[in-house]
Amino acid sequence: MAGEQRVISVFGSANMDLVAYVTSAPSLGETVMGRAFHTVPGGKGANQAIAAARAGARVAFAGAVGDDAFGTELRAALVDAGVDTGLLRVVPGPSGVAHIVVEDGGANSIIVIPGANGTVTGPDEEAAAVIGRSRALLLQLELPMAAVVAAARLPGAEVILTPAPAVPLPGELLAEVDLIIPNEHEAAVITGAADPGEALEALLDLVPEAVVTLGADGAIYGSRDGTRLRQPAVPVEAVDTTAAGDTFAGALAVARAEGLDARHALRFATAAAALSVRRRGASPSMPSRREIDRALARPEDAGSLGGAHGAS
């Protein structure tokens, strides 16, 4: 990879998703019968890397997997999507896993067990060099916070943070973030504001640009230059929303790297997210650049089947 310009780098998690499909998720102490079960490569970092690659970017992924069968499968999924895995390290022990319950209609709940992701302490020298040559660095919070902060502090790339899982964010991280992309819940945890519009304004006291994703209500954007935008969701019947937020983030990074303005970048990312919820699974649901471009040219191709979805 020496001397090669990277458009987007992703420093984040890779998990094997263990997905159960049910009519309704069980309450505490309740047992329900499921309809299907699948193992699907995922993890917020790997998801965003695959989303960005499929949306048309050259992508380098830095992270860790275990020396187990899941680790081999996770690397293969990234490679198959066109992601450069030269920075993906193998460590002794199990890979990360996520236990996911998906209800009819697409709503989901997730438990993440970090595994190899928990061993990551920060970008090594090779990863730091690649990140420094990147147009954008995508970060999430499924790695240890100290590792995320270390990556954010590297010079060069625009830092785009998806603050999930939702936790209070240290000032040392926020000081390095250029764009933050929380959903409504995450925005409320960070700011204490339940109203998304109020949360957006509070986020702009912390970082230069923010997008709050609103699921079926689309997304709202703000920047410190005074710009405020609302992007409606694309009408679509959601089957599985597991990867919608990661698809949105990866596609938005691609659009920004290609020089699209905020309005057109939001539209591009929203179309990608809407396409992803029509299919089951995380990485397998993410659309290609051809699919996104076709949906933008003909919105009905995104699947106007009732309901609506952006990203959450």
Side-chain angles (χ1 to χ4, degrees):
M1 293 188 299
E4 191 173 324
Q5 178 68 34
R6 293 287 160 188
V7 174
I8 293 173
S9 290
V10 182
F11 181 70
S13 59
N15 297 321
M16 185 59 71
D17 292 345
L18 312 178
V19 189
Y21 293 93
V22 299
T23 300
S24 181
S27 302
L28 191 64
E30 179 185 12
T31 299
V32 301
M33 297 297 291
R35 293 186 284 99
F37 173 81
H38 300 288
T39 58
V40 184
K44 296 195 72 63
N47 286 346
Q48 292 185 7
I50 290 172
R54 289 189 177 159
R58 289 178 294 140
V59 180
F61 179 75
V65 293
D67 58 359
D68 56 1
F70 284 166
T72 301
E73 291 181 56
L74 290 167
R75 183 185 295 275
L78 288 159
V79 171
D80 287 347
V83 176
D84 190 319
T85 59
L87 304 174
L88 179 60
R89 309 309 183 201
V90 178
V91 300
S95 298
V97 296
H99 291 252
I100 303 174
V101 177
V102 181
E103 296 184 328
D104 290 348
N108 64 77
S109 58
I110 304 173
I111 301 172
V112 176
I113 296 92
N117 299 303
T119 70
V120 178
T121 58
D124 61 20
E125 184 175 348
E126 184 181 8
V130 172
I131 291 168
R133 298 195 301 270
S134 300
R135 291 288 301 274
L137 169 63
L138 285 165
L139 298 172
Q140 322 76 36
L141 300 178
E142 288 182 344
L143 298 182
M145 184 63 76
V148 177
V149 172
R153 283 176 166 167
L154 293 171
E158 176 185 54
V159 176
I160 301 175
L161 173 67
T162 301
V167 296
L169 300 178
E172 58 186 341
L173 175 58
L174 289 168
E176 306 298 335
V177 172
D178 297 295
L179 168 66
I180 193 167
I181 314 175
N183 62 22
E184 291 177 84
H185 170 67
E186 293 151 4
V189 169
I190 296 166
T191 67
D195 177 78
E198 294 178 5
L200 180 69
E201 299 304 321
L203 287 168
L204 293 173
D205 290 334
L206 304 174
V207 298
E209 294 181 84
V211 176
V212 179
T213 60
L214 307 173
D217 292 324
I220 53 176
Y221 165 87
S223 69
R224 286 179 177 169
D225 68 4
T227 302
R228 300 292 183 273
L229 299 171
R230 176 173 288 273
Q231 174 62 44
V234 176
V236 64
E237 182 178 325
V239 173
D240 183 352
T241 63
T242 302
D246 293 330
T247 302
F248 183 95
L252 186 64
V254 173
R256 289 168 66 92
E258 293 181 359
L260 294 185
D261 62 26
R263 185 176 299 280
H264 289 91
L266 284 173
R267 186 167 174 259
F268 183 89
T270 300
L275 288 166
S276 77
V277 304
R278 298 178 62 198
R279 297 188 282 244
R280 298 194 186 280
S283 57
S285 73
M286 295 170 177
S288 67
R289 179 59 175 261
R290 181 179 179 182
E291 290 175 307
I292 299 169
D293 287 343
R294 185 173 61 191
L296 290 169
R298 299 180 58 204
E300 64 271 19
D301 287 346
S304 182
L305 303 173
H309 212 283
S312 61

